[in-house]
């Protein structure tokens, strides 16, 4: 086995890194500055890939909508449905009910976007 020349461990100036001397090399710590056997944490600016994010699909894509967006749109649809039904029962006109439902949807989404913490 070839061992390149160079500085070896302390007490071994020959550069053979403990080979053929009977010395046991100390185990290397995988992360300098951390106790042995402890996995280092990610730096503050780095994202933890095993965190609370949902698992991704086969091609690396995540969910189509986030939970907050889905809730806001669902509440907007509920408001629009209620406004459309109430307007249709009062006016007996589908076009007026559809316009009222569209306006209620837009207003409901904007309202819930503001009040739901994100």
């Amino acid at each position: 086995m070839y061992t390149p020349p160079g500085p070896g461990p302390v007490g071994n100036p020959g550069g053979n890194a403990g080979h053929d001397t009977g010395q046991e090399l100390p185990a290397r710590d995988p992360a300098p500055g951390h106790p042995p056997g402890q996995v280092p944490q990610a730096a503050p600016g780095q994202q933890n890939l095993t965190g609370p994010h949902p698992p991704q699909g086969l091609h690396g894509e995540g969910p189509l909508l986030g939970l907050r967006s889905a809730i806001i749109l669902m509440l907007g649809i509920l408001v629009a449905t209620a406004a459309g039904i109430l307007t249709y029962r009062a006016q007996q006109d589908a076009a007026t009910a559809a316009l009222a439902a569209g306006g209620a949807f837009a207003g409901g989404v904007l309202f819930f976007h503001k009040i739901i913490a994100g």
Side-chain angles (χ1 to χ4, degrees):
M1 174 192 286
Y2 172 74
T3 304
V10 176
N12 188 6
N16 59 0
H19 297 288
D20 303 327
T21 62
Q23 293 179 345
E24 186 70 29
L25 289 176
R28 287 201 50 152
D29 197 13
H34 293 284
Q38 183 182 17
V39 178
Q41 297 294 322
Q46 294 177 346
Q47 180 181 4
N48 184 2
L49 297 178
T50 60
H53 301 290
Q56 295 184 348
L58 294 175
H59 302 289
E61 63 245 10
L64 183 61
L65 286 176
L67 180 62
R68 179 178 180 267
S69 299
I71 290 173
I72 290 172
L73 290 176
M74 181 196 64
L75 290 172
I77 290 171
L78 289 174
V79 168
T81 302
I85 289 172
L86 290 174
T87 304
Y88 183 77
R89 289 191 65 185
Q91 301 289 325
Q92 299 295 319
D93 184 21
T96 305
L99 287 173
F105 175 77
V109 167
L110 289 174
F111 174 73
F112 291 119
H113 175 70
K114 292 254 186 212
I115 66 166
I116 294 177

